[in-house]
Amino acid sequence: MTTDIEKAPEALQQLVADSDTGGRKPSGLTAGIIFAAAMLWGLFQFWYASPLPFELGFGILNDTEARAIHLAFALFLAFMAWPAFRRSPRNRVPLADWALALVAAFCGAYIMLFYAELATRPGQPNTLDIVVGLAGVLLLLEATRRAVGWPMAALALIFLAYCMLGPYLPEVLSHKGASLNRLVSHMWLTTEGVYGIALGVSAGTIFVYVLFGALLDRAGGGNYMMQVSFAALGHLRGGPAKVAVVSSALNGMISGSSVSNVVSGGIFTIPLMKKAGYGGVKAGAIETMSSVNGQIMPPVMGAAAFLMVEYVGIPYSDIVKHAFLPAALSYLGLLYIVHLEALKLGMQPIVQAVQRPWRVRLMRNAIGIAGSIVVVCAIYYLLQVIKAMMGAAAPYAVSAVVLALYLFSVQQAANSPDLPEDIDIENPKPLQTWPTVRAGLHYIMPIGMLIWCLMVEEMSPALSAFWAVTTLIVLMLTQRPLIALFRRTSLTGTWMDGWRSVVGGFNDGSRNMIGIGVATATAGIIVGAITLTGLGLRMTEFVEFVAQGNVMVMLLFIAFVCLVLGLGVPTTANYVLVATLMAPVVVELGAQSGLVIPLIAVHLFVFYYGIMGDITPPVGLATFAAAAISGEDAIKTGVQGAIYALRTVILPFIWIFNRQLLLINVHGAGELIRLLLACTLATLLFAAVTMNWFRVKSRWWETVLLAVAVVLLFRPDFFMDRIEPEYRQVPASQAYEVARDVPSDDRVVMVIRGLTIEGDDITKTVALQLGDKGEDGRKRLSDAGLQLMPLGDAVQIGQVKFGTRAAKSGFEQGWDVVAVQVPTDRPTAHWFYLPALLLVALVWWSQGRRMPATRPLRAA
């Protein structure tokens, strides 16, 4: 089955290739070698993610060896697939690039090929080590220039120069410098530089998720999600734009690239939006925003999300939990924006669905949604009962249940008409929602497997993706033969079609990973420079000087840095750089201001603003791709997209101060429901404010009232804090009692004081998340990595275990605990939702009085 990208015009396919997979298209033996290298890389990564090496006792690799093989493949394919210059040949690989590819692959694999020898001389590289390391760094920079872009290569060069020129820089930036031998050894022969965390996550986790997306697209999952979106929303007012929003949210699980997401969906949705009346600029902006936001949509987020597991130190399932509400709000806000645009422009549906009474429509949808929920719950509890009752035989029973579900879903697909391969732009035909859903139920199973392994079984991200990919491969090989059997038609060619899809998916996944592999390796150079020179400590002083103790100014500065870097650096590298430099700074300076900022909140802040670089003019490849489809000016499209992006832009600032937006410190189902309803309403109101349209065009005072309601709904704690503080202080000697009484997975907040390594006396507020509730507060603190030493009425921090939650939360060994903060008995801040609702009701009533005179169309 072809991918959605292959349905695009050749010029757009070339744009995606130049951005994601390499612009060369050689033929003959060269094409075969590139294909073979991509397949070997994909098979190696699939093997490495699996439990098979440990089960069979064969092919077990440590992290460094796997990273070296990963980098060797990425460098080889980068020089083979990307031409050196715009005028370089696209239909063949010059001899110079052959030589560079082979040398780069050797340099990348060097640390694995000579692993035993290097282990005998740590920190004492010989001449060959230095030559290979220096060549490797230079070739990596060249591969980065080709596959990622010159801005990132230039940024890495600046950091390398900073390492070498330390003694000659101004005092605020100066350091003792590094010799060439030390620099090369640090960057290429240790895990502090190129082979660091970023490359490790790329090799261990990101690849297998990109492979999952490529296989799901080849299987037909991308087209299925597009058709379901069109069936559900295509007949509504502004339907094509709503299809773009929903299908892009679903396709975020398939494509980690904003550009390919724009092209695969935009070739259908942008022309349909123009036909509906949105205009080329708005159509391109809507598709760009929808596609870019695919990277923030759980359960499969952008590549940078997997790096958070290492940087924040929490399971990926927790990251998914924290990221879900903001992502859902972002898409909901965009869905409402396109609806308001349709109202403002007076649009009518472009597809006329079968007209049914609203009661019938409501009943059909209610039955469908309720039935889906009941089925999902029944499957969940059935599997849980099987696990609890069948012991060692449970995996076989679970497999039997999964097989039965798969056969049932394929049988439903066989009894349904085949889904269209695309959407007829000139004469779109309506589809019925539930029959369309039923025609591809089996595509949901690999996604369900992934979510089950991640969220229920709490497997590692890589192992979860391995089982999802395995399920997907079985689906791809069997779906066509089984459908043919159920339909009693010929099986001829069905098996080969499945194999071709699997092989094509492995090739696509490897090609999509080249740029990511190279980018994460180059990000390691930047991180290595920071660790080698101590730049992180200087950044704390610099940001503190810029912000002058103001947390909001500090956040605005970091957002600006992310947006500027995003103009030329991919999201993953942008995240690595800013998270390494800035995230600890935000947490530290916030703590010194008495504000406890969870580390995950800062990392998601950086992640969101890094993604915004794909939209922001004058650079933004996703915007240029959308403009190429719409035929409009890319800058105007980018500006319009930036306006639409405002609802996403404000969310990071909100969750820094209101942790509940990340589902942190939400207690009980009632509080959760109130929070979800309030945040949903706030998002819709903010969209109405930015569009200056609610029920009709808003007057200035109505816009002001709606904006006040948004603040009340998003930040009720701001107003409650003015009435009564959230915490009161108790003596430090009560730390164990407080820790004992803290609910499970909640946090204990302490005020600590001590001397920094610069000799400054600092007081800061820090919080430590504890595990399951127990009777021993000392043990709960110890399990989180913190040991206290009571000294009479005083308490000192005795030990902070490396890499634990306590270390990541900012606790410092030897510092004094000044006090422990416990929650006050103040009323819930959610009471401020009531005045917000009154303001909304007032504006609703006011605009309702004007609707008969000003509204050109009936209500949607």
Side-chain angles (χ1 to χ4, degrees), residues 175-476:
H175 58 92
K176 64 180 182 180
S179 65
L180 180 64
N181 282 13
R182 186 179 176 214
L183 176 65
V184 171
S185 177
H186 186 81
M187 294 297 179
W188 204 263
L189 302 177
T190 71
T191 55
E192 296 294 323
V194 169
Y195 297 94
I197 290 175
L199 186 63
V201 175
S202 179
T205 303
I206 297 173
F207 192 107
V208 71
Y209 277 86
V210 172
L211 178 62
F212 173 77
L215 288 169
L216 187 56
D217 195 26
R218 282 280 177 180
N223 180 61
Y224 171 67
M225 293 173 184
M226 174 70 75
Q227 298 297 342
V228 169
S229 303
F230 188 74
L233 303 170
H235 62 282
L236 301 177
R237 193 196 305 256
K242 294 170 182 175
V243 171
V245 174
V246 174
S247 63
S248 293
L250 296 174
N251 273 320
M253 291 184 287
I254 297 178
S255 172
S257 165
S258 303
V259 179
S260 63
N261 206 350
V262 166
V263 173
S264 62
I267 56 174
F268 304 119
T269 58
I270 290 176
L272 284 174
M273 280 189 273
K274 291 176 67 176
K275 185 176 181 179
Y278 278 98
V281 171
K282 290 183 178 179
I286 290 168
E287 180 58 48
T288 302
M289 273 308 310
S290 304
S291 300
V292 168
N293 276 14
Q295 295 185 63
I296 67 176
M297 194 67 193
V300 181
M301 302 163 66
F306 298 106
L307 288 162
M308 289 186 203
V309 176
E310 300 295 331
Y311 285 128
V312 183
I314 62 178
Y316 185 72
S317 57
D318 285 355
I319 291 174
V320 168
K321 181 188 75 172
H322 296 315
F324 175 76
L325 182 56
L329 292 176
S330 179
Y331 268 107
L332 188 63
L334 184 58
L335 199 64
Y336 191 53
I337 283 173
V338 302
H339 178 70
L340 292 177
E341 287 282 22
L343 290 178
K344 291 171 67 177
L345 297 171
M347 294 180 189
Q348 293 285 7
I350 65 170
V351 175
Q352 296 300 324
V354 177
Q355 295 298 319
R356 294 187 177 91
W358 68 268
R359 293 183 181 85
V360 175
R361 297 199 306 270
L362 180 62
M363 181 63 66
R364 286 166 60 93
N365 289 330
I367 292 174
I369 295 171
S372 300
I373 294 173
V374 169
V375 170
V376 170
C377 292
I379 293 172
Y380 171 79
Y381 287 112
L382 174 62
L383 295 180
Q384 293 288 46
V385 169
I386 289 173
K387 287 171 55 183
M389 296 182 62
M390 301 198 66
Y396 302 101
V398 169
S399 300
V401 172
V402 172
L403 178 60
L405 290 171
Y406 174 58
L407 292 175
F408 172 78
S409 61
V410 173
Q411 189 263 342
Q412 292 295 305
N415 292 339
S416 305
D418 288 334
L419 293 175
E421 287 292 322
D422 52 29
I423 298 174
D424 188 346
I425 296 172
E426 297 301 324
N427 188 25
K429 300 290 193 300
L431 296 172
Q432 294 188 41
T433 303
W434 292 108
T436 305
V437 171
R438 190 176 64 184
L441 279 174
H442 55 293
Y443 293 124
I444 301 176
M445 295 201 64
I447 301 172
M449 177 66 72
L450 178 65
I451 295 173
W452 178 272
C453 293
L454 273 175
M455 308 301 293
V456 179
E457 300 295 336
E458 295 188 349
M459 296 181 184
S460 69
L463 188 57
S464 300
F466 166 77
W467 289 116
V469 169
T470 303
T471 305
L472 188 50
I473 292 173
V474 173
L475 180 150
M476 296 171 74

Side-chain angles (χ1 to χ4, degrees), residues 86-137:
R86 289 183 180 273
R87 296 182 180 179
S88 300
R90 296 302 202 262
N91 59 351
R92 62 183 178 85
V93 179
L95 287 176
D97 282 356
W98 273 103
L100 292 175
L102 292 171
V103 173
F106 172 75
C107 293
Y110 183 79
I111 197 172
M112 183 207 69
L113 296 174
F114 298 93
Y115 189 81
E117 291 86 345
L118 290 170
T120 63
R121 51 175 190 272
Q124 297 177 328
N126 60 26
T127 303
L128 179 62
D129 297 340
I130 297 300
V131 170
V132 170
L134 183 59
V137 169

